Amino acid sequence: QVQLVESGGGLVQPGGSLRLSCAASGSIFSINVMRWYRQAPGKQRDLVAGIITGGSTNYADSVKGRFTISRDNAKNTVYLQMNSLKPEDTAVYYCNADVNIDGYYSYSYWGQGTQVTVSS
């Protein structure tokens, strides 16, 4: 079994910053891709950013230049640095990882989500 545990969410004023963390643990051989998604009330879950083992990244257009995804492969942890936050960034943020558990099979795992609220 693999568990993903997010932390770092909270309430922040517009223009502020937050850093989310997501640590993976359990039966992990390697982690190929780690991603952050978000879901606002009444909306679908959307991809925010992704990062592969080698460090290449991709971002949703709405967060480019404001958010930075990074990872510590030794700690099986992914981060999301969020700057210049806007009210429309308010959502539950979910961590997702494609985990190879034995050198052969990979599965997708999700964290429980962490609430980010941007409001004055």
Side-chain angles (χ1 to χ4, degrees):
Q1 269 290 22
V2 174
Q3 298 81 38
L4 301 181
V5 178
E6 300 113 332
S7 60
L11 173 64
V12 64
Q13 292 186 341
S17 298
L18 281 176
R19 188 192 194 211
L20 305 183
S21 300
C22 171
S25 62
S27 301
I28 298 171
F29 180 82
S30 64
I31 301 179
N32 304 316
V33 185
M34 303 189 83
R35 308 175 186 90
W36 287 99
Y37 285 79
R38 67 185 180 186
Q39 187 169 21
K43 295 189 176 181
Q44 67 182 19
R45 190 174 297 187
D46 292 325
L47 178 66
V48 175
I51 184 168
I52 64 172
T53 306
S56 295
T57 60
N58 66 288
Y59 297 91
D61 287 343
S62 59
V63 306
K64 283 181 180 177
R66 300 188 298 122
F67 291 10
T68 302
I69 189 171
S70 60
R71 63 189 283 178
D72 184 331
N73 293 327
K75 296 181 179 180
N76 290 328
T77 298
V78 64
Y79 306 96
L80 186 68
Q81 178 66 43
M82 305 185 294
N83 299 328
S84 302
L85 282 161
K86 305 175 181 180
E88 51 263 43
D89 294 318
T90 296
V92 178
Y93 283 70
Y94 295 91
C95 175
N96 170 261
D98 293 343
V99 180
N100 188 307
I101 63 171
D102 58 5
Y104 296 96
Y105 298 104
S106 292
Y107 299 92
S108 182
Y109 294 91
W110 290 88
Q112 81 286 356
T114 185
Q115 176 70 45
V116 172
T117 302
V118 185
S119 175
S120 54

